Amino acid sequence: MYALLFSDADLSVTQISSLFVLWSLTGILLEVPSGALADAVSRRLLLWTGPLLTAAGFALWTLSPSYWTFALGFVLWGAKGAFGSGALEALVYEELAHLDAADSYARVMGRARAASLAGVMTATALAGPALAAGGYGLVGAASVAACVLTAGVALGLPEHRGAGAGGEPGGEGENEGDGAGWWGALRAGVAEARGDRAVRGTLLLVPAVTAVWGALDEYTPLLVREAGVGDAEVPWWLLLIWVGATAGSLLAGVVRGVGAAGFAGVLAGGGLALAAGTALTPHGLPLPAGLALVALAFCAFQLTTVLADARLQAAVRGPSRATVTSLAGAATELTTVAVYATYGFLAPQTSHGTTFALFATPYVLTALAMRKRRRGSHHYGPCRRDRRDDTTPD
């Protein structure tokens, strides 16, 4: 509801857009430094302090709505996103490795992403009635409470850190890192990303899979409305799309062993489904069929997003896992900003449906590039440099 809050506080569209830009820039600037901090200090520390920053920002918005408090709130929210990006993936992977269950990473994170999407859908459904019952005060209080609850859950997460070989978690002990400090963690992560071919390939795959559909998500209400749906019915149609994304998260654990050919096939299929569902709606396919194809595309994109993250985590061998993951996050953020700019240029000249269809192209091209590279490689080996599986894009 924050866009409505900003508008009701007499902010112009330009001012609101500037807040979104500030939000994105904060995340980009803090993404990699916070990843190195998580490697040098404690992943759990960043995971429970980050939501408290967002809670403070939401409290400011509720108690003193103005442009400058909104700006400060977005800086705090952007910092929270940067704190969690990289730290969460690193903590989960290394805790699973500590339990000799690293192969379960895709399944665990897929379920977590599905729960996250279910929470978003539930909150969206409750936001309207909450606003009607208690105004922005109730919505703001509920938002602060949700952040505090998140911090409490994160505080209870286990964290085993050690200096085991290859960066694998070793003995009990929090806040140990690798002993090199923030600058050492940053240098080690960047060096691994640059010098290790498997890490570099999987790192670049993350933004290639994640950025476009993550940006298109912001425009799905406009796509649905363009198809002739009334504003009051838009959320219900969006629910169909996000059911598809949730299914993709849950499928990640089932198909986590899929090879690169299968990965590319899912990615290409998602791109083709997106193009067919959006280019033909509202003038071709009936609305339910068109949005069903969009939901299928989002299912494929969410599935490959989780699998790409799993491949990256399996490829990392050094101690700066959060730093490497944050580099992927920063690349994703930069690509997302580029998608926003391109969308803003294309949509006014065509339509939302046509613009969505055009953005299916990067997915098909990425899938074709993966297949071509695989055929041209004599050894298309697994990212952990052993023979347990053959699933990692080179």
Side-chain angles (χ1 to χ4, degrees):
M1 293 293 185
Y2 51 81
L4 299 180
L5 173 64
F6 300 160
S7 180
D8 289 345
D10 296 326
L11 268 64
S12 67
V13 175
T14 301
Q15 288 177 310
I16 294 175
S17 297
S18 70
L19 292 175
F20 292 156
V21 171
L22 178 63
W23 190 16
S24 296
L25 289 177
T26 301
I28 291 171
L29 292 174
L30 296 180
E31 180 80 27
V32 177
S34 65
L37 182 63
D39 285 324
V41 185
S42 166
R43 282 85 183 254
R44 183 171 66 179
L45 175 65
L46 270 66
L47 290 176
W48 71 260
T49 55
L52 296 181
L53 296 178
T54 310
F58 290 163
L60 286 173
W61 289 3
T62 306
L63 298 175
S64 181
S66 70
Y67 178 83
W68 294 110
T69 55
F70 296 151
L72 178 56
F74 268 128
V75 170
L76 294 172
W77 197 353
K80 179 265 181 184
F83 280 15
S85 177
L88 175 63
E89 293 85 354
L91 184 143
V92 172
Y93 187 88
E94 292 192 352
E95 287 305 307
L96 288 172
H98 179 74
L99 299 173
D100 294 325
D103 290 343
S104 300
Y105 178 83
R107 175 176 57 82
V108 172
M109 291 302 289
R111 290 179 177 179
R113 302 303 184 195
S116 175
L117 292 172
V120 170
M121 290 186 289
T122 302
T124 301
L126 294 175
L131 185 65
Y136 293 119
L138 179 57
V139 174
S143 300
V144 171
C147 293
V148 173
L149 177 62
T150 302
V153 172
L155 187 61
L157 293 174
E159 182 173 20
H160 296 81
R161 300 292 299 281
E168 298 297 339
E172 185 79 19
E174 185 184 342
N175 304 339
E176 292 180 14
D178 66 351
W182 178 85
W183 181 245
L186 179 62
R187 291 185 60 185
V190 173
E192 182 169 11
R194 291 181 59 187
D196 190 308
R197 188 164 178 257
V199 172
R200 185 170 64 250
T202 52
L203 189 155
L204 293 174
L205 184 65
V206 171
V209 170
T210 306
V212 173
W213 82 277
L216 292 180
D217 161 44
E218 303 294 339
Y219 300 100
T220 50
L222 301 178
L223 175 72
V224 173
R225 188 168 63 179
E226 183 181 70
V229 175
D231 288 354
E233 300 176 3
V234 167
W236 300 108
W237 288 105
L238 293 180
L239 186 63
L240 171 64
I241 296 175
W242 286 105
V243 166
T246 304
S249 291
L250 294 175
L251 285 172
V254 178
V255 300
R256 64 183 184 274
V258 66
F263 188 102
V266 173
L267 197 60
L272 294 175
L274 179 67
T278 55
L280 298 178
T281 303
H283 303 297
L285 291 177
L287 179 63
L291 288 186
L293 285 173
V294 175
L296 179 62
F298 273 45
C299 174
F301 298 152
Q302 177 69 1
L303 170 60
T304 51
T305 293
V306 176
L307 293 181
D309 171 45
R311 284 158 168 72
L312 176 61
Q313 297 307 318
V316 176
R317 303 184 72 187
S320 297
R321 181 178 302 277
T323 303
V324 175
T325 308
S326 291
L327 287 169
T332 300
E333 289 288 345
L334 288 170
T335 309
T336 299
V337 171
V339 173
Y340 285 147
T342 306
Y343 194 102
F345 173 77
L346 291 175
Q349 303 181 56
T350 55
S351 66
H352 292 290
T354 301
T355 305
F356 266 69
L358 290 173
F359 272 112
T361 305
Y363 286 110
V364 177
L365 293 178
T366 299
L368 291 175
M370 290 176 62
R371 294 296 298 270
K372 181 179 179 180
R373 189 173 184 86
R374 182 177 186 273
R375 287 196 299 268
S377 176
H378 294 291
H379 171 63
Y380 189 73
C383 54
R384 292 294 290 183
R385 296 149 179 95
D386 57 33
R387 295 282 180 173
R388 287 178 294 179
D389 56 48
D390 186 19
T391 61
T392 302
D394 189 359

